[in-house]
Amino acid sequence: MPIRLSGMASGLDTDAIVKELVSAYQTKTDKYKKAQTKLEWKQDAWKELNAKIYKFYTNTFNRTLSSNYNKKKTVSSDESKASVVAANGSVIGTQTLKINALAKSGYLTGAEIGEGKKELTADSTLKDLGIEGSTNISLTVGDKTETIELDGSMKIRDFLGKLNEKGVVASFDEKNQRFFISSKSSGVANNFEIDSEDTQALEALGLKYSTKDSENVGSKEAHKVTGTDAKIVLNGATFTSETNSFSINGLTITAKAVTDEDTNETLTLSTDTDVDAIYNSIKDFIKEYNELIKEMDTLYNAKSARGYEPLTDDEKDSMSDTEVEKWETKIKDSLLRRDSTLSGVISTMKNAMQKSFTIDGESISLSIFGIGTAGYFDSGENEKGMYHIDGDADDSTSASKTDKLKTMIASDPDKVASFFSQLSKNLYDELGKKMSSTTLSSAFTVYNDKQMKNEYDEYTKTIKKWENYVTEQEEKWYKKFSAMETALAKLQSSTSALSGLLGS
């Protein structure tokens, strides 16, 4: 920006005069800037709301699946011996269960090494254990046997690393001076064996053990336990597993303890509809819907901000930060007031929730499950579109009413599943239509984001045009005043010269 030395001859405040002369054009520029700022705020408001609508939309898709309302629960007669989780397709009824054996991992507790003469660490070498030259040991995991080469210079930590690489879990307890080795997983197939023709090397490592499991052995021999499979008998059929978990016909059974064979102890597994889980699933759906519909109604019914427009920098300078924040909040809260696009989304959701579906020849709506909106005078502000579940202890509006929903879930879960999956699908489809891509909006967007972007870009061009025009007008007036100042300066110079001549 050029430096202007104006008013030198005339004594006029040229800057103030020029500013006043172009004020009409500047006001026009500020008008477009304010409109663009307001549009930007509206874009942000829609982006935030659209994200919530899209989240509800995707969650609604999950609720279209009837399995979401077809949950089962299985109870074991003795949870200390077996726990059970039922899949949605589990058969309702009672089953018998015996647990004959638990799965366990193979493990080896090495004998104490070093003969107590020195404190061995992971950095000690095998020579410190008495292994002088080179030798081999074999490690068999399942049906795979591999050879591990040893020599006196090898450190204990390197020996452990080779064991771990070959498929077992190995460690060295420096406090107790023993190796501990175990299978990575339980079961017979994951069992391991350690052997060597060099029995002295095995003894030096404390890894020589009997081929039979032993619990009371001397300090010179290992205690070795062989991995075993779990074995259960469900409804008379025998099943085995490498772990203590069994997946059978929709049931996930976790064996915890062996049943008493002497008394022919038998557990019972009772499967039934999980009323609470289905109820909570529906309750979560209603809650999510209510939160979204209340927010949209609040935005649509917001108080008018007529007379409030975004502030210019000069206007902000004349106000406190608190005043500016209150001013802008007033505008932002009203951005979607009486918005026709928002009204369309609200109507779509409310109409979808009111739809009836024919199931087994009967027309059914939410009201049959004791779910409905409260009366006009019983609803809070912007809560007239919210639904309440009769008997819901968390809802003061309907807590005292008879619980129909749980009764329906317990008595006819198929009808509940059919209705709510259809309701969700219809709601999902209708929202999908609103979120489809058009020339004005992008996919999965309920508002005209493309149109708003174009409008924003047009404002940018218009603002630039008016800013340039203001600059042109300023330059024009400054040139005029500069010419005037030059003429006055010449006149003053001539007058001074004349006065000097006359005075002499």
Side-chain angles (χ1 to χ4, degrees):
M1 180 180 291
I3 298 176
R4 301 184 178 100
L5 299 175
S6 56
M8 298 293 289
S10 66
L12 298 174
D13 187 349
T14 306
D15 289 338
I17 296 173
V18 171
K19 184 177 181 180
E20 187 64 29
L21 288 169
V22 301
S23 62
Y25 308 121
Q26 185 61 52
T27 298
K28 196 79 171 179
T29 305
D30 291 341
K31 176 184 176 182
Y32 287 115
K33 285 184 177 180
K34 290 183 177 186
Q36 187 184 47
T37 298
K38 198 170 184 179
L39 175 61
E40 183 180 9
W41 289 349
K42 190 171 185 178
Q43 286 175 307
D44 292 340
W46 263 120
K47 285 177 184 177
E48 182 178 349
L49 180 59
N50 192 80
K52 295 176 181 178
I53 295 172
Y54 180 71
K55 180 181 179 182
F56 178 79
Y57 171 74
T58 55
N59 288 345
T60 301
F61 172 76
N62 296 330
R63 295 181 175 115
T64 63
L65 306 174
S66 60
S67 58
N68 193 56
Y69 311 99
N70 190 24
K71 302 178 183 295
K72 301 295 195 310
K73 177 174 65 175
T74 300
V75 178
S76 168
S77 60
D78 189 344
E79 289 287 335
S80 68
K81 294 188 175 179
S83 61
V84 190
V85 176
N88 294 338
S90 303
V91 178
I92 291 179
T94 301
Q95 303 182 64
T96 61
L97 174 68
K98 292 182 180 181
I99 302 173
N100 292 343
L102 295 178
K104 60 183 179 182
S105 299
Y107 66 87
L108 170 61
T109 302
E112 186 178 356
I113 59 177
E115 298 181 352
K117 294 178 180 179
K118 57 179 69 177
E119 290 295 325
L120 298 169
T121 69
D123 287 320
S124 299
T125 64
L126 299 189
K127 183 177 180 180
D128 295 328
L129 279 69
I131 299 176
E132 297 287 345
S134 298
T135 189
N136 295 329
I137 66 171
S138 62
L139 173 64
T140 302
V141 179
D143 57 0
K144 184 178 181 181
T145 300
E146 297 203 49
T147 298
I148 298 177
E149 298 179 357
L150 309 178
D151 64 70
S153 64
M154 178 183 286
K155 292 183 178 180
I156 287 178
R157 70 169 67 254
D158 297 326
F159 172 56
L160 294 173
K162 288 185 176 292
L163 287 172
N164 288 322
E165 288 174 5
K166 303 301 183 184
V168 293
V169 179
S171 62
F172 178 66
D173 187 329
E174 294 182 1
K175 181 179 180 180
N176 292 292
Q177 298 287 282
R178 294 173 185 263
F179 285 102
F180 290 87
I181 304 173
S182 65
S183 303
K184 283 190 174 181
S185 302
S186 59
V188 173
N190 299 302
N191 197 29
F192 69 91
E193 297 290 342
I194 296 177
D195 200 5
S196 175
E197 295 181 357
D198 188 347
T199 56
Q200 290 183 336
L202 287 179
E203 287 181 356
L205 293 166
L207 300 181
K208 182 181 178 183
Y209 57 88
S210 171
T211 55
K212 296 182 179 180
D213 288 356
S214 171
E215 294 186 359
N216 298 304
V217 295
S219 62
K220 294 292 184 181
E221 197 165 87
H223 175 45
K224 173 70 167 61
V225 174
T226 303
T228 58
D229 290 338
K231 182 183 293 185
I232 66 171
V233 180
L234 181 66
N235 300 327
T238 301
F239 299 88
T240 60
S241 172
E242 293 179 359
T243 69
N244 287 313
S245 180
F246 296 79
S247 295
I248 305 171
N249 195 28
L251 296 182
T252 300
I253 302 169
T254 301
K256 298 178 179 179
V258 175
T259 51
D260 192 335
E261 186 177 353
D262 293 337
T263 61
N264 195 31
E265 181 184 13
T266 303
L267 307 181
T268 56
L269 308 179
S270 302
T271 303
D272 207 343
T273 299
D274 193 341
V275 175
D276 289 337
I278 298 173
Y279 179 88
N280 289 332
S281 178
I282 295 172
K283 183 176 176 178
D284 289 342
F285 163 56
I286 297 298
K287 179 182 178 182
E288 187 178 5
Y289 172 86
N290 284 344
E291 289 175 348
L292 181 57
I293 207 71
K294 181 179 179 178
E295 179 172 357
M296 291 195 294
D297 277 343
T298 300
L299 293 170
Y300 184 78
N301 296 322
K303 293 180 180 179
S304 173
R306 180 175 296 179
Y308 287 78
E309 293 295 334
L311 302 167
T312 63
D313 290 338
D314 289 340
E315 289 170 337
K316 288 180 181 179
D317 290 340
S318 65
M319 302 168 66
S320 68
D321 291 342
T322 301
E323 289 173 332
V324 171
E325 183 180 2
K326 288 182 177 179
W327 185 282
E328 293 185 345
T329 299
K330 178 75 174 178
I331 301 172
K332 291 178 180 179
D333 286 347
S334 68
L335 289 171
L336 300 185
R337 168 182 162 82
R338 301 294 185 261
D339 187 284
S340 59
T341 300
L342 178 58
S343 176
V345 178
I346 293 172
S347 296
T348 293
M349 291 182 61
K350 289 183 177 180
N351 290 337
M353 291 293 281
Q354 294 169 1
K355 189 173 177 61
S356 298
F357 301 93
T358 301
I359 301 174
D360 295 333
E362 180 184 4
S363 180
I364 297 176
S365 64
L366 278 170
S367 60
I368 198 173
F369 303 99
I371 302 176
T373 56
Y376 184 88
F377 296 104
D378 295 327
S379 300
E381 187 177 7
N382 297 310
E383 294 183 350
K384 295 176 178 60
M386 295 172 61
Y387 281 87
H388 304 270
I389 303 174
D390 290 351
D392 180 3
D394 298 323
D395 190 338
S396 59
T397 301
S398 57
S400 61
K401 298 181 180 179
T402 302
D403 193 330
K404 296 180 181 179
L405 179 58
K406 283 189 177 180
T407 301
M408 290 287 288
I409 295 171
S411 63
D412 197 345
D414 291 340
K415 179 180 288 186
V416 173
S418 178
F419 174 81
F420 281 97
S421 60
Q422 289 185 71
L423 178 70
S424 298
K425 186 178 186 308
N426 180 63
L427 181 56
Y428 177 79
D429 290 343
E430 292 301 316
L431 271 178
K433 294 175 185 176
K434 283 288 182 183
M435 303 187 86
S436 60
S437 176
T438 69
T439 57
L440 301 178
S441 63
S442 304
F444 304 114
T445 308
V446 296
Y447 68 103
N448 296 338
D449 61 318
K450 293 180 181 178
Q451 181 184 31
M452 285 186 176
K453 184 181 183 305
N454 290 335
E455 290 176 1
Y456 187 91
D457 293 342
E458 285 300 316
Y459 275 128
T460 299
K461 294 177 183 178
T462 302
I463 290 169
K464 183 65 176 176
K465 181 184 74 174
W466 278 100
E467 285 178 336
N468 291 338
Y469 189 68
V470 168
T471 300
E472 290 172 4
Q473 291 299 310
E474 287 177 338
E475 290 298 325
K476 182 186 77 172
W477 286 110
Y478 273 117
K479 286 180 180 179
K480 288 179 182 286
F481 279 107
S482 179
M484 181 190 74
E485 293 291 338
T486 300
L488 286 174
K490 288 180 179 180
L491 178 60
Q492 290 174 353
S493 177
S494 299
T495 303
S496 296
L498 180 61
S499 297
L501 291 172
L502 293 176
S504 61

